[in-house]
Amino acid sequence: VISCFSFSTAFADFTRGDRGEEIVEIQKQLAILHYNVGIVDGVFGPATEKAVMDFQASKGLKPDGVIGEDTYRNLMNKALPPDRYGNHAITRTIIRSAFSMLGVPYVFGGMSPRGFDCSGFICYVFREAGIALPRMADLQYDAVSRINTANLRTGDLLFFQTYAPGASHVGIYIGEGKFIHASSSKGISIADAFTGYWGARYLGAGRVYN
């Protein structure tokens, strides 16, 4: 069962773990102003966070590394967009939560930051965003709205057939042909979805919210 969720501009800031074209524009503007963001790659990592904090300090803003309304307006000279990733600020919450778990070990049956299995990771991340999903990958596959791979967007679920027929592995699509998941060998990590090992086992995609 998928619970209801009210979308809110409370999630409309940019922070560490975010990625995409809007982060590229932020990084470019910081670089123009001579703040060191490292590589302009669309990933809000430690270097970008440090650059934001330095910028905030120079403007008398709270140096927390989070780009909220005041920081965005001072940096970009325009209002902060109310929501992104289509029209879903919720997607940012999902992606932020997922990226915050990078490196957490794989634990069979795990559903907490102490350790996750693949479907437990999905349950945890979506629950953080206010969405309840079934516990097992095959039941999650049954619960989502099936979508064509060509129509994928960040936050959609990708399903794979591994040790048994049907959906037995699941991860979250993050764009550019990649997904974040609980790997039995690497823990929470990022992998290519449509080539190599996972590409050969790709089953389909599903959308949890419209």
Side-chain angles (χ1 to χ4, degrees), residues 8-20:
S8 168
T9 57
F11 300 113
D13 54 0
F14 291 100
T15 190
R16 185 169 175 172
D18 288 344
R19 52 199 291 141

Side-chain angles (χ1 to χ4, degrees), residues 110-128:
M111 292 185 65
S112 79
R114 293 188 298 273
F116 295 104
D117 63 15
C118 69
S119 56
F121 174 60
I122 300 304
C123 282
Y124 177 88
V125 168
F126 276 78
R127 187 173 65 242
E128 290 291 289

Side-chain angles (χ1 to χ4, degrees), residues 30 39-40 74 76 80 191:
L30 285 165
I39 301 171
V40 176
N74 274 274
M76 306 300 289
L80 180 71

